[in-house]
């Protein structure tokens, strides 16, 4: 009984040590912040938006590595660094010429880059801006021989008519941020018949949607 108690204590300490080491490594291997797509009411990207983050109290202070930059149609707001997340409460303010400014209290996520869509209202409008969480859908487009199919157009359309687009890269991979809900997703290119996923439900982040296209179909039609 005494030996079993000693063995259990040693096992507990081992789990505690390795658990702490795993936690440290996890914190050291993560980045955090927001990816914000700033658009007008028609869905056009606003590329001159200004993002300001201010602390709500003296104890809340962004790190020196805090950055804001525009890339791939979205603004990154956060820290490109290793370590624990930015702790505290902050005020995010987004402004652009010709549009009403938008303010929102935020907390930065832990070990995650979250995507959002912000639709600003034109200057003088009394309507509220829309700020909505987006979920990432990613996958691979390949032909009937399982070869990657690059430069395919991926278009997603929501029930209220909003359209989101991206293209697959040279290796067939793509990534697109979409609102939660049901979407119609179309993969198209002049080389292939369209592939359509109707009523595709987006319920969780990083959903995988692979698509097989028929590259030889159009080739057969052209010969006939």
């Amino acid at each position: 009984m005494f030996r079993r108690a000693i063995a259990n204590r040693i096992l507990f300490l081992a789990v505690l040590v390795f658990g702490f080491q795993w936690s440290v490594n996890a914190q050291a291997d993560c980045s955090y912040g927001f990816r914000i797509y700033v658009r007008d009411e028609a869905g056009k990207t606003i590329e001159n938006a200004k993002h300001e983050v201010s602390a709500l109290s003296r104890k809340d202070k962004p790190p020196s590595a805090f950055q804001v930059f525009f890339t791939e149609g979205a603004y990154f707001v956060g820290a490109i660094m290793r370590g624990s997340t930015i702790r505290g409460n902050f005020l995010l303010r987004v402004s652009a010429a010709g549009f009403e400014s938008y303010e929102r209290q935020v907390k930065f996520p832990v070990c995650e880059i979250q995507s959002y869509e912000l639709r600003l209202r034109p200057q003088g409008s009394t309507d509220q801006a829309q700020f909505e969480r987006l979920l990432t859908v990613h996958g691979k487009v390949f032909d009937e021989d399982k070869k990657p199919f690059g430069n395919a157009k991926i278009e997603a359309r929501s029930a209220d008519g909003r359209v989101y687009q991206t293209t697959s890269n040279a290796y067939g991979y793509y990534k697109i941020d979409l609102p939660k809900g049901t979407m119609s997703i179309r993969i198209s290119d002049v080389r292939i018949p369209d592939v359509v996923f109707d009523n595709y439900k987006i319920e969780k982040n990083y959903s995988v949607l692979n698509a097989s296209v028929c590259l030889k179909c159009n080739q057969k039609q052209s010969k006939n």
Side-chain angles (χ1 to χ4, degrees):
M1 181 69 68
F2 177 76
R3 290 182 178 178
R4 181 178 297 176
I6 293 295
N8 288 340
R9 185 173 181 83
I10 292 173
L11 178 61
F12 170 77
L13 291 174
V15 170
L16 186 65
V17 170
F18 283 110
F20 175 76
Q21 185 64 42
W22 177 87
S23 177
V24 170
N25 289 338
Q27 288 291 325
D29 291 336
C30 65
S31 300
Y32 37 86
F34 303 114
R35 182 166 53 245
I36 304 176
Y37 297 85
V38 183
R39 298 174 171 134
D40 62 16
E41 292 180 300
K44 183 179 179 181
T45 299
I46 300 173
E47 298 186 11
N48 63 339
K50 181 179 180 181
H51 293 68
E52 300 171 281
V53 176
S54 56
L56 293 179
S57 69
R58 292 184 178 180
K59 66 178 181 179
D60 303 326
K61 185 179 180 181
S64 57
F66 189 85
Q67 296 185 36
V68 177
F69 57 84
F70 184 81
T71 179
E72 296 182 348
Y75 295 86
F76 174 79
V77 180
I80 301 295
M81 59 181 291
R82 305 299 183 188
S84 59
T85 190
I86 307 170
R87 302 193 182 280
N89 298 307
F90 299 89
L91 182 68
L92 169 66
R93 186 174 189 270
V94 182
S95 58
F99 295 90
E100 291 291 326
S101 299
Y102 176 80
E103 291 184 351
R104 184 184 185 88
Q105 184 177 328
V106 296
K107 281 189 175 182
F108 285 88
V110 178
C111 293
E112 184 183 6
I113 298 176
Q114 296 180 351
S115 297
Y116 289 88
E117 180 181 31
L118 171 59
R119 296 219 175 191
L120 295 178
R121 300 305 183 187
Q123 204 163 31
S125 174
T126 57
D127 295 333
Q128 292 185 345
Q130 293 181 340
F131 189 80
E132 183 178 3
R133 176 74 187 274
L134 300 180
L135 303 177
T136 299
V137 175
H138 66 102
K140 185 176 183 180
V141 183
F142 50 88
D143 64 19
E144 56 268 66
D145 296 323
K146 303 299 181 182
K147 294 180 179 179
F149 191 84
N151 205 37
K153 179 182 176 182
I154 294 92
E155 179 179 280
R157 186 179 297 270
S158 64
D160 60 3
R162 287 180 290 171
V163 177
Y164 304 83
Q165 295 179 340
T166 190
T167 57
S168 60
N169 64 18
Y171 304 98
Y173 293 105
Y174 74 92
K175 177 181 73 67
I176 187 168
D177 294 321
L178 302 171
K180 184 177 181 179
T182 302
M183 308 283 290
S184 176
I185 300 177
R186 180 182 300 271
I187 291 89
S188 61
D189 187 87
V190 295
R191 299 167 290 174
I192 59 168
D194 291 358
V195 176
V196 181
F197 297 88
D198 281 323
N199 299 318
Y200 181 78
K201 292 184 178 180
I202 302 168
E203 299 176 332
K204 62 180 181 178
N205 208 13
Y206 298 110
S207 298
V208 178
L209 178 61
N210 296 321
S212 176
V213 301
C214 183
L215 184 60
K216 298 177 181 178
C217 292
N218 280 3
Q219 296 174 352
K220 292 178 180 178
Q221 291 177 0
S222 62
K223 290 180 181 179
N224 294 335

